[in-house]
Amino acid sequence: MNLKLRTIVNRVSLCFGACLLVFSSAVQAEEIGEVDTVFKWLGPNHKIVIEAFDDPKVEGVACHLSRAKTGGISGAVGLAEDTTDASIACRQIGPIKFREELEDGEEVFTKRTSLVFKTMQVVRFFDEKRNVLIYLVYSDRVIEGSPKNSITSVPIMPWNEG
């Protein structure tokens, strides 16, 4: 293999490795369950999906999301655009420890809800005066935003492990 080709192969390998590292460090939701909401003759039914994830920077907090998932043929092949309906509940599940400095409005979780333009996001705020973590789920679109949202609060309480 000549030097020029070897250099190109090395650069592509480095880029591929970097992409794997970036995407593997993203928070992944665990699917807990689902219910069918609309029967579809062809393709999967419309559903409400329940997913769980842990806050990557706050140990001791777990969140549960419910979100609409479009079925049918377009949903089966990944071309459907899910509605912006989502709900969130986060709770303290152990002693709370901050792994890193928190930033208000920081993205905690994101999920693509259409092929290109729409995402569902969860962002975190810290109300220091009340010692409460606040999580907001909303859906946005590159072209236009969506006012549909849901919020939950997690008061930081002492945790007795005894």
Side-chain angles (χ1 to χ4, degrees), residues 3-108:
L3 184 60
K4 198 174 208 178
L5 183 58
R6 186 177 303 160
T7 303
I8 291 170
V9 168
N10 286 341
R11 286 183 182 169
V12 168
S13 297
L14 280 173
C15 288
F16 181 71
C19 287
L20 282 177
L21 184 61
V22 166
F23 290 116
S24 67
S25 66
V27 174
Q28 297 292 315
E30 172 188 348
E31 189 168 315
I32 302 299
E34 61 185 37
V35 294
D36 292 344
T37 57
V38 176
F39 174 77
K40 303 300 283 181
W41 285 102
L42 297 173
N45 294 335
H46 294 326
K47 303 174 187 298
I48 296 174
V49 178
I50 300 169
E51 298 173 315
F53 67 90
D54 298 319
D55 188 319
K57 286 191 177 179
V58 182
E59 187 177 320
V61 173
C63 296
H64 291 88
L65 286 173
S66 67
R67 64 181 182 83
K69 185 169 182 168
T70 304
I73 295 172
S74 61
V77 296
L79 298 176
E81 182 172 306
D82 295 337
T83 66
T84 57
D85 302 312
S87 182
I88 188 167
C90 298
R91 299 293 183 264
Q92 182 175 356
I93 59 167
I96 290 184
K97 296 177 189 157
F98 298 119
R99 293 182 176 126
E100 298 177 35
E101 188 77 23
L102 303 183
E103 296 177 35
D104 275 347
E106 182 175 15
E107 187 177 279
V108 177

Side-chain angles (χ1 to χ4, degrees), residues 53 55 63 65 88 90 103-110 120-126 133-138 140 150-152:
F53 67 90
D55 188 319
C63 296
L65 286 173
I88 188 167
C90 298
E103 296 177 35
D104 275 347
E106 182 175 15
E107 187 177 279
V108 177
F109 176 79
T110 187
M120 180 187 65
Q121 300 177 51
V122 176
V123 294
R124 176 194 343 95
F125 294 87
F126 179 50
L133 293 164
I134 303 161
Y135 295 84
L136 168 70
V137 61
Y138 67 99
D140 68 356
S150 180
I151 192 170
T152 187

Side-chain angles (χ1 to χ4, degrees), residues 134-156:
I134 303 161
Y135 295 84
L136 168 70
V137 61
Y138 67 99
S139 185
D140 68 356
R141 197 176 243 210
V142 175
I143 300 166
E144 63 182 70
S146 170
K148 292 185 180 181
N149 61 78
S150 180
I151 192 170
T152 187
S153 299
V154 180
I156 300 173

